Amino acid sequence: MTERYVLDLQEIDESQVAVVGGKGAHLGSLSRIEGIRVPAGFCVTTEAYRRVVAQSPSLDAQLDRLSRVSPDDQEAIRTLSAEIRRTVEEIAVPDDLAGAITRALARSGERTAYAVRSSATAEDLPTASFAGQQDTYLNVVGPAAILQHVSRCWASLFTERAVTYRRRNGIDDRTVRMAVVVQQMVFPHASGILFTADPVSGDRTVATVDAGFGLGEALVSGLVNPDVFKVRHGEVVARTISAKQREVHALPDGGTREGPVDARRQEQPSLTDAQAVRLVELGRRIEARFGRPQDIEWCLVDDEFHIVQSRPITTLFPVPESADQENHVYVSVGHQQMMTDPMKPLGLSMWRQTAIVRMHEAGGRLFVDVTQRLAAPASRAALLDLMGRGDPLVRDALETVLEREDFVPSLPDAPPAGPRGGAAPEPVETDPAVVTGLIERSQASIAALRRDVRTKTGPELFDFLPTAFEEHKRVLTDPLNFKAIMAGMEATWWLNDKLEEWLGEKNAADTLTLSAPGNVTSEMGLALLDVADVIRPHPEVIGFLEGVEDDGFLDELAKIPGGPEARDAIEAYLDRYGMRCVGEIDITRPRWSERPATLVPVILDNVRNFEPGAARRRFEQGLQQARKKEQDVLSRLRTLPDGLRKADETKGMIDRVRTFIGYREYPKYDIISRYFVYKQALTAEAERLAQAGVLAEKEDVFYLTYEEFHDVVRSRQVDDRLVRQRKDAFRAHQALTPPRVLTSDGEALSGAYRRDDVPDGALVGLPVSTGTVEGRARVILDMAEADLEAGDILVTTFTDPSWSPLFVAVAGLVTEVGGLMTHGAVIAREYGLPAVVGVEQATRRIRDGQRIRVHGTDGYVEILS
């Protein structure tokens, strides 16, 4: 009977998390690694906890009340968690359980000092470390004190910080159990923490040792600044020795006390370099055992290291898997596509199925390996130029890697393709018919896809889709498509470069491209103003929409005065744009056609903030500004030396940019239109599987790759455990911030602007749409929660095309992610909104409601209040 309540650490391994919690399982596994010293001890199992809490009927009611509390109601969480802790601490420990613990203590002698440590089942996990969320008690002496502190550890499952942490990680309080580790105390000369990867940069080749005198509590509690040793490839490459004025001692009769460090020792290092290197070697052994970088607590006693805890470092961004041991440099796809959120497995695999270049997955995001392009001088220069024009932070991050001359191999330039001396391909002619033809061919291809997929189900659907993917890629890789996209971008760059050189004017193309024809994304924003025009005359419709809470509102809308016209306008909009949504490159994201309520707040803002006919007036105003700017620029150029030539060249480039820049947005529209067709077919297949009982719910297929989905359709079987693991991993990926550039060593680089031409305190970014505007900041992370007034400035993480309907209602734009030619920048210019993108942590550094000034010409933001 007693065995299930108490297990010796030597009996435990990492498969027993449910029995001994995360810390206990890790310590048991650590004790089995050759050469690793772990203080002896035992674990009071989760079965003991379960039995004890079952003795208190009131606990169930308290947990019910806690489950109903909002995660944001910290006061209620604080009160209820304190009440639950008191309940648990007051439960008497049954005699047989107390006897089992006392007998385990007797094996080491009852007066031995112990550390009594919480070990929850949701702790030290690969996806959530829960570091410091439950309690540890040091230097506890005697059976009565041990039992009392075991009860305190059980109760610490419900500290306010632990409950809040579980809420943030999506873990139900009722599913967590508490074990308790009881270990013999060690009384160290020095102690601290070893990270087997650099916790700041993510570099897996650099280990960081934090060290101080005495017990580790001095470091953990922030009493002292630690000595820090950086170790790489068996050598200390950097060290910082701090003045250590305080340390924590164990007292002879139990407990600990903080005290001063002898003045002669304060400036001495707590470890030698040789000891730091030896400790890292032990850490590498532990890391190899657990298969990922570790956060390790250690103690040094008589020149021997004792390991008292090891947990995974959950904050590191994962590294893409590679088939070789060579160095690799990866660039984030999400930063190019304006979607840095994690994608579900089906979304990742579908994007890879249809992408033109090979992509690598890590942390729920996609990356492209650019190592080969960086290795040769010509391709390196072209890549850096392209990246620099789009997003200077990516270029800076790549240059930071290149500064380490030993990381990227040096290769000769590849010989030119094609026959020697062959002419460069002819540029596309400045002719609107080129764009018209490309769009017509795309629309015909999408219509054929809709027609052909309609009858396909089961294995036949998956036999058909590879053909559809090939057509998808054929349309995107049409040389004329690429030439048309580049023509608009290159003309923009030419105009900005030349007009700054000749006229001293920055970003002149921003005004010259206002209301450019054929921009499907800007048309989408203006079209929602037309929907508002239909709704505005009908107060009953407005009142109805203000109360909309779910997506089935369109049928009910038709039953009220003015409702049929409003419904028709919304449905016509969805017919044209309903395939779009935030994060649309992830096929699993709900589309506007699936969640039309997403658009309701934006429609209501448009009803409130605009007069009838605003869309047409706005487009005309932009067109007049662009024409006026063109005449101004050309007349000023003609007065310069060689002015007629300069004016003629500039006129040609203005015509060219207005012909092609709108098409820049169309290929994404083509992709997302196809994605919606794929999604409808795949969702119908998932519904059939759910109805047949193969899937618990149709959305489970979102956690399978495309290939795995195909296998389920063939076999009519699904691995439910795999689906659960993928859901856990997705939740963990949501807590990670993807870097712009990532190396195979794990180093995460986000780049820097390195500018000294901005005011002190200003937030630096990339200027993408000229002008200066001052207004109220609206920090919006979810488009469905938008509540805008005229003159507001939108501050958000990233904007893909689905955000464009908000752009018509704001006076300026600030984003954390973006580049000169990403969608948000293009549409900001199209609408004449001053915009600064790539502002690091803008949504945290700018508070909702603050007054800010956006300098769209010079690329910075001032916080005014």
Side-chain angles (χ1 to χ4, degrees):
M1 182 71 174
T2 58
E3 284 77 14
R4 65 179 187 166
Y5 294 141
V6 174
L7 292 174
D8 191 273
L9 284 182
Q10 295 289 335
E11 302 175 69
I12 296 167
D13 63 30
E14 65 211 272
S15 69
Q16 293 167 276
V17 170
V19 178
V20 297
K23 186 179 289 135
H26 271 75
L27 284 168
S29 295
L30 281 167
S31 67
R32 295 162 179 256
I33 303 173
E34 187 176 348
I36 302 298
R37 291 170 174 259
V38 176
F42 59 90
C43 196
V44 182
T45 66
T46 56
E47 183 63 20
Y49 168 82
R50 188 200 61 75
R51 180 174 169 203
V52 166
V53 297
Q55 294 177 202
S56 175
S58 65
L59 194 58
D60 256 352
Q62 290 170 333
L63 288 172
D64 276 341
R65 284 162 56 205
L66 184 61
S67 69
R68 292 192 294 270
V69 170
S70 163
D72 298 323
D73 191 345
Q74 283 301 120
E75 186 57 42
I77 289 174
R78 184 177 302 119
T79 302
L80 270 172
S81 60
E83 187 180 315
I84 292 169
R85 285 200 307 280
R86 282 194 301 273
T87 299
V88 174
E89 284 190 41
E90 288 167 4
I91 300 171
V93 179
D95 289 345
D96 60 332
L97 174 52
I101 294 172
T102 303
R103 284 191 293 276
L105 291 169
R107 289 197 286 270
S108 302
E110 288 195 353
R111 300 310 297 171
T112 299
Y114 288 90
V116 183
R117 316 172 70 195
S118 306
S119 180
T121 52
E123 183 179 52
D124 295 351
L125 304 179
T127 56
S129 77
F130 278 75
Q133 299 308 312
Q134 280 95 35
D135 290 344
T136 286
Y137 301 95
L138 300 178
N139 201 31
V140 184
V141 179
I146 298 283
L147 287 170
Q148 181 187 28
H149 285 86
V150 167
S151 288
R152 287 181 178 174
C153 284
W154 287 331
S156 76
L157 192 59
F158 297 98
T159 61
E160 179 189 349
R161 63 184 183 272
V163 170
T164 301
Y165 193 93
R166 284 196 291 274
R167 294 292 179 88
R168 288 178 183 157
N169 284 273
I171 296 170
D172 185 345
D173 293 318
R174 289 182 180 277
T175 64
V176 184
R177 300 282 183 269
M178 179 67 85
V180 181
V181 174
V182 182
Q183 270 182 296
Q184 291 180 24
M185 276 290 293
V186 291
F187 301 100
H189 156 75
S191 57
I193 300 166
L194 160 65
F195 297 97
T196 64
D198 190 315
V200 177
S201 73
D203 191 337
R204 270 58 162 183
T205 67
V206 175
T208 302
V209 178
D210 288 3
F213 293 126
L215 292 167
E217 294 305 290
L219 297 188
V220 173
S221 62
L223 263 180
V224 297
N225 291 323
D227 295 338
V228 180
F229 300 82
K230 301 272 188 184
V231 178
R232 189 169 192 260
H233 302 321
E235 180 183 354
V236 173
V237 293
R239 78 178 62 71
T240 302
I241 307 303
S242 301
K244 299 166 287 296
Q245 296 177 340
R246 313 292 291 174
E247 62 182 325
V248 174
H249 299 280
L251 298 173
D253 295 323
T256 61
R257 185 174 66 195
E258 173 200 333
V261 175
D262 184 280
R264 290 167 297 181
R265 294 171 60 224
Q266 288 180 6
E267 304 280 349
Q268 290 180 4
S270 47
L271 292 180
T272 66
D273 282 7
Q275 286 171 331
V277 169
R278 183 153 50 91
L279 175 60
V280 170
E281 288 170 356
L282 296 174
R284 294 290 180 219
R285 205 175 297 177
I286 294 168
E287 180 183 67
R289 173 67 180 79
F290 292 120
R292 59 183 298 161
Q294 297 288 300
D295 163 357
I296 299 167
E297 294 181 22
W298 55 269
C299 297
L300 181 66
V301 183
D302 298 329
D303 201 35
E304 291 288 350
F305 286 104
H306 297 252
I307 305 301
V308 294
Q309 189 165 341
S310 183
R311 62 171 74 91
I313 308 175
T314 58
T315 55
L316 296 177
F317 200 86
V319 179
E321 291 184 7
S322 173
D324 58 41
Q325 298 301 310
E326 302 298 319
N327 291 343
H328 294 273
V329 182
Y330 304 96
V331 170
S332 164
V333 172
H335 284 81
Q336 314 301 312
Q337 291 293 335
M338 295 300 93
M339 215 293 272
T340 54
D341 290 347
M343 296 167 70
K344 296 187 177 79
L346 185 62
L348 289 164
S349 64
M350 283 294 289
W351 191 259
R352 291 169 85 171
Q353 287 281 342
T354 53
I356 308 306
V357 297
R358 185 167 177 239
M359 294 185 177
H360 305 261
E361 186 270 327
R365 279 80 168 185
L366 291 169
F367 294 84
V368 172
D369 187 343
V370 296
T371 318
Q372 291 299 308
R373 293 180 67 183
L374 288 174
S379 59
R380 179 192 311 137
L383 178 67
L384 291 174
D385 181 59
L386 184 65
M387 291 296 177
R389 285 187 178 276
D391 184 346
L393 293 177
V394 174
R395 176 173 184 145
D396 183 78
L398 291 172
E399 288 177 332
T400 300
V401 176
L402 288 168
E403 285 169 7
R404 293 159 201 157
E405 296 178 1
D406 60 339
F407 194 83
V408 176
S410 184
L411 299 175
D413 285 321
R420 194 176 294 274
E426 284 294 315
V428 64
E429 187 180 353
T430 303
D431 181 357
V434 172
V435 171
T436 305
L438 284 166
I439 291 173
E440 286 174 352
R441 288 194 289 279
S442 160
Q443 292 293 304
S445 174
I446 294 168
L449 170 64
R450 289 196 187 100
R451 182 188 66 240
D452 294 344
V453 81
R454 198 170 292 137
T455 59
K456 307 292 191 296
T457 61
E460 188 185 4
L461 171 65
F462 286 87
D463 290 341
F464 165 76
L465 283 175
T467 306
F469 298 158
E470 286 308 309
E471 170 66 3
H472 179 132
K473 289 188 270 193
R474 185 195 66 76
V475 171
L476 286 180
T477 55
D478 178 345
L480 191 58
N481 178 56
F482 180 73
K483 285 181 183 180
I485 294 170
M486 291 308 298
M489 293 168 64
E490 288 168 349
T492 300
W493 297 335
W494 189 97
L495 286 166
N496 281 338
D497 290 348
K498 291 297 184 182
L499 294 181
E500 184 167 11
E501 177 189 340
W502 293 337
L503 299 176
E505 187 166 337
K506 289 183 179 178
N507 306 327
D510 293 0
T511 307
L512 293 167
T513 54
L514 287 171
S515 297
N519 187 318
V520 69
T521 308
S522 64
E523 289 167 0
M524 178 172 70
L526 296 175
L528 208 58
L529 288 174
D530 292 334
V531 173
D533 286 353
V534 175
I535 289 167
R536 193 176 291 105
H538 303 289
E540 295 96 332
V541 171
I542 294 170
F544 173 84
L545 291 176
E546 285 172 342
V548 163
E549 292 182 354
D550 60 55
D551 295 301
F553 69 92
L554 288 171
D555 289 338
E556 290 299 312
L557 175 61
K559 298 174 183 176
I560 60 177
E565 299 94 318
R567 183 189 63 181
D568 290 348
I570 293 171
E571 287 184 339
Y573 186 86
L574 292 172
D575 285 344
R576 176 104 166 98
Y577 303 111
M579 79 292 288
R580 311 219 83 147
C581 68
V582 173
E584 61 193 6
I585 69 170
D586 182 350
I587 199 172
T588 71
R589 290 285 190 106
R591 311 284 135 174
W592 288 342
S593 287
E594 298 166 324
R595 298 261 181 92
T598 304
L599 293 174
V600 169
V602 190
I603 293 171
L604 290 171
D605 282 346
N606 288 348
V607 168
R608 187 174 65 248
N609 294 331
F610 293 92
E611 296 295 321
R616 178 179 45 77
R617 282 196 306 276
R618 184 143 192 169
F619 187 83
E620 280 299 318
Q621 286 167 0
L623 198 57
Q624 292 307 317
Q625 283 180 262
R627 286 172 177 164
K628 184 179 177 184
K629 184 70 173 179
E630 177 180 335
Q631 294 308 313
D632 173 62
V633 163
L634 295 178
S635 64
R636 287 161 62 198
L637 285 172
R638 291 187 188 107
T639 67
L640 301 177
D642 200 18
L644 289 178
R645 177 189 63 79
K646 291 172 179 173
D648 283 348
E649 286 184 12
T650 301
K651 171 61 175 167
M653 282 299 174
I654 292 173
D655 291 346
R656 192 163 178 80
V657 81
R658 292 194 65 81
T659 298
F660 290 111
I661 199 63
Y663 183 72
R664 163 73 181 82
E665 291 293 296
Y666 186 81
K668 185 74 169 284
Y669 179 80
D670 174 289
I671 293 169
I672 301 307
S673 297
R674 293 175 194 274
Y675 260 44
F676 193 40
V677 179
Y678 305 150
K679 183 176 187 183
Q680 288 173 310
L682 292 170
T683 300
E685 202 59 42
E687 285 172 348
R688 284 188 281 271
L689 290 169
Q691 287 165 5
V694 177
L695 296 174
E697 52 188 22
K698 67 179 182 181
E699 286 83 6
D700 282 355
V701 297
F702 294 167
Y703 298 94
L704 303 175
T705 65
Y706 171 79
E707 296 82 0
E708 290 164 348
F709 190 177
H710 189 183
D711 288 341
V712 170
V713 169
R714 278 194 302 239
S715 68
R716 313 290 287 181
Q717 291 182 316
V718 68
D719 184 344
D720 292 325
R721 189 173 58 86
L722 176 65
V723 170
R724 285 195 301 274
Q725 287 173 348
R726 295 271 178 79
K727 287 180 178 180
D728 289 343
F730 179 72
R731 275 196 295 270
H733 293 156
Q734 287 176 306
L736 299 172
T737 301
R740 285 175 169 80
V741 171
L742 182 65
T743 73
S744 49
D745 283 347
E747 190 174 7
L749 300 112
S750 289
Y753 286 108
R754 308 186 193 285
R755 290 174 54 187
D756 55 10
D757 59 343
V758 298
D760 289 345
L763 311 184
V764 184
L766 176 66
V768 295
S769 186
T770 196
T772 300
V773 66
E774 191 176 306
R776 179 180 67 158
R778 294 314 314 267
V779 180
I780 298 173
L781 302 180
D782 183 347
M783 182 176 155
E785 295 175 3
D787 181 14
L788 296 166
E789 294 178 5
D792 283 348
I793 296 170
L794 174 62
V795 180
T796 190
T797 314
F798 58 80
T799 59
D800 59 13
S802 70
W803 285 78
S804 299
L806 291 187
F807 284 22
V808 298
V810 298
L813 174 69
V814 179
T815 69
E816 295 181 351
V817 176
L820 190 63
M821 283 298 170
T822 48
H823 303 278
V826 171
I827 305 308
R829 291 193 292 273
E830 182 81 14
Y831 288 165
L833 300 179
V836 179
V837 302
V839 179
E840 287 288 281
Q841 298 188 333
T843 58
R844 297 179 203 172
R845 296 162 75 186
I846 299 171
R847 291 195 310 276
D848 186 57
Q850 280 186 311
R851 194 156 188 83
I852 63 173
R853 186 181 296 129
V854 176
H855 295 262
T857 306
D858 295 312
Y860 63 90
V861 180
E862 291 180 284
I863 298 175
L864 304 178
S865 66

